[in-house]
Amino acid sequence: MNNKVALITGITGQDGAYLSEYLIKKGYTVHGIKRRSSLFNTDRIDHLYQDPHDEKRNMVLHYGDMTDSMNLTRIIGDVQPDEIYNLAAMSHVKVSFDTPEYTANADGIGTLRLLEAVRLLNLTDKTRIYQASTSELYGMVQEIPQRETTPFYPRSPYAVAKLYAYWITVNYREAYGMHASNGILFNHESPLRGETFVTRKVTRAAARILLGLQKKVYMGNISSKRDWGHAKDYIKAMYLILQQDTPDDYVISTGVTTTIRDFIKMTFNEAGVTVEFKGENEQEEGFIAHINEELFSKAVGEEHLDAFKKRLGESIVGIDPAYYRPTEVDILIGDNTKARTKLGWEPTYDLKGLCHDMITHDIELMKKEEYLRNGGYRILNYFE
Ligand code: NAP
Ligand code: F7E
């Protein structure tokens, strides 16, 4: 146990939720910055919430925003953190094409605001900073697999904003001797993943299709390849990066890459359903080719089997070009040698384990009464 103080920006997000739980278990007092919203936005961390009147509480939330320097400076001054994990970002690649200026402000300049606040508050010797950098920096990849020395070629406003954040972190480290590091994290997913990222979109839709609540799901470019890990493993790497004597930049990945198409197949396979793809480009479709009744009954429930068997041969996956991106990142696969050797970090989940965790969670979620009601399920109307 220790009495360290951590400040997490983006605490309400996927990684913020897992990281805060992990740090609290290690004895940290965790402060988090959350945005004001008209509805509650703390679902992922509600189990960690403590009454503000509890004097011994080890989790504290502050209202704030990465676009507000004065607010960030005040919070950092008040909290005097030993470690800052800068996880806040407009993190959706497709949406960044719609909101490029905001994305640059929050993801790019937001990082500068944090670093500069630490410097101006004379905390450079005390406060260590983790910057949530991304495999999206590699974009049009210049090398396969991608490692720390691979040149960057960002392909979206999101990635360009994160490129600025990456280099301003390096610059503050070199200019002011700050303990500031980049984790170049490849895609990481979980049951807490936002609903519009591709893995979660697939596992949620698959759960609904298996339960007979939805006919079909429409996807974008299912030929792109991603190196997917589990968020629970990746937040441990963030922690380890800040425990090193010397700040540095690390690739965090599994070293395995898979197409979206194969992820869809794997997801349905977890429930005993074989999906076969036919056709090309926008005409491509995924059909129910085979049902393993025993596996289906175990994963989904015997009571849903008869209805699903009637759908054998039906198309359940279609393509809608509205989900295509103006510029795509075709393949990502990371070389995690440096993280393994220097941090002693390695992933514990493989893709099958991750996929199992997500689809099992989403089948249970969709079975809940509120999701069966019309209004309970948010249809993904927007082309994210
Ligand atoms: P996420 O689930 O989208 O969470 C993003 C968090 O940032 C949320 O708490 C969000 O608040 C907050 N946020 C957004 N804009 C903000 C602003 N202007 N001011 C303050 N907070 C703001 O993302 P994640 O998957 O946990 O990822 C964490 C970080 O790692 C992000 O920086 C992301 O870009 C980066 N990253 C993610 C991956 C990945 O595969 N997951 C890989 C590499 C890097 P609300 O809850 O209010 O929206
Ligand atoms: O897309 C393709 C899409 O949105 C993955 C963020 O966490 O990881 C994430 O960025 C791939 C792309 O993640 C759909 O075109 C096909 O090729 O799940 P995604 P991302 O863009 O890789 C990186 C590391 C980050 O840093 C980001 O913050 O899947 N794809 N069909 C689709 N993607 C979505 N979202 N929806 C589709 O229907």
Side-chain angles (χ1 to χ4, degrees), residues 10-16 35 41 44 64-67 86-91 102 106 132-134 158 162 185-189 193 197:
I11 195 164
T12 57
Q14 169 189 255
D15 292 1
R35 296 192 288 182
N41 60 353
R44 292 181 174 112
D65 199 292
M66 295 306 292
T67 60
N86 183 29
L87 310 186
M90 202 309 288
S91 71
Y102 172 73
S133 284
T134 165
Y158 167 77
K162 285 282 189 176
L185 271 53
F186 282 60
N187 299 51
H188 46 282
E189 321 291 312
R193 185 57 145 150
F197 296 96

Side-chain angles (χ1 to χ4, degrees), residues 363-373:
I363 289 173
E364 286 316 305
L365 180 72
M366 296 303 164
K367 277 182 180 172
K368 284 192 186 151
E369 207 218 332
E370 68 255 41
Y371 280 91
L372 299 180
R373 283 189 280 113

Side-chain angles (χ1 to χ4, degrees), residues 132-341:
S133 284
T134 165
S135 52
E136 283 294 300
L137 295 171
Y138 298 118
M140 175 107 73
V141 298
Q142 303 294 295
E143 186 179 24
I144 293 178
Q146 296 85 54
R147 60 194 101 221
E148 290 78 3
T149 50
T150 304
F152 297 139
Y153 192 141
R155 293 268 284 174
S156 63
Y158 167 77
V160 176
K162 285 282 189 176
L163 185 77
Y164 177 83
Y166 174 94
W167 281 115
I168 201 68
T169 302
V170 173
N171 183 245
Y172 269 56
R173 176 167 83 214
E174 293 175 352
Y176 307 118
M178 285 167 70
H179 195 297
S181 303
N182 286 287
I184 309 171
L185 271 53
F186 282 60
N187 299 51
H188 46 282
E189 321 291 312
S190 74
L192 295 187
R193 185 57 145 150
E195 291 91 345
T196 61
F197 296 96
V198 77
T199 54
R200 191 77 201 289
K201 175 173 169 177
V202 167
T203 59
R204 276 169 59 99
R208 288 180 56 80
I209 291 168
L210 293 163
L211 289 164
L213 300 167
Q214 180 175 329
K215 284 202 168 311
K216 194 164 175 165
V217 61
Y218 288 91
M219 307 296 303
N221 172 16
I222 58 172
S223 296
S224 64
K225 292 180 158 183
R226 289 293 181 272
D227 177 335
W228 284 297
H230 200 302
K232 277 188 187 170
D233 283 334
Y234 284 43
I235 55 101
K236 291 181 191 160
M238 298 176 184
Y239 166 77
L240 286 171
I241 289 171
L242 288 201
Q243 307 320 306
Q244 304 308 301
D245 291 339
T246 319
D248 205 346
D249 310 314
Y250 298 87
V251 160
I252 305 297
S253 66
T254 69
V256 177
T257 195
T258 310
T259 61
I260 315 302
R261 187 181 295 101
D262 283 342
F263 183 82
I264 297 171
K265 289 187 187 174
M266 283 177 82
T267 303
F268 280 96
N269 257 326
E270 285 297 317
V273 176
T274 307
V275 174
E276 262 177 29
F277 282 90
K278 290 180 193 153
E280 278 180 22
N281 304 319
E282 279 135 50
Q283 272 64 53
E284 188 168 0
E285 290 192 78
F287 298 87
I288 305 172
H290 179 74
I291 303 163
N292 176 326
E293 297 187 12
E294 200 185 319
L295 257 177
F296 182 98
S297 301
K298 201 167 151 220
V300 188
E302 210 178 339
E303 66 279 20
H304 299 284
L305 181 61
D306 284 342
F308 196 76
K309 273 163 67 180
K310 291 191 188 123
R311 303 193 58 193
L312 194 66
E314 265 184 34
S315 165
I316 51 170
V317 184
I319 303 296
D320 185 338
Y323 293 106
Y324 290 166
R325 293 160 184 199
T327 39
E328 177 62 280
V329 172
D330 294 321
I331 175 167
L332 290 173
I333 175 165
D335 176 350
N336 62 20
T337 308
K338 184 173 172 184
R340 279 180 191 270
T341 50

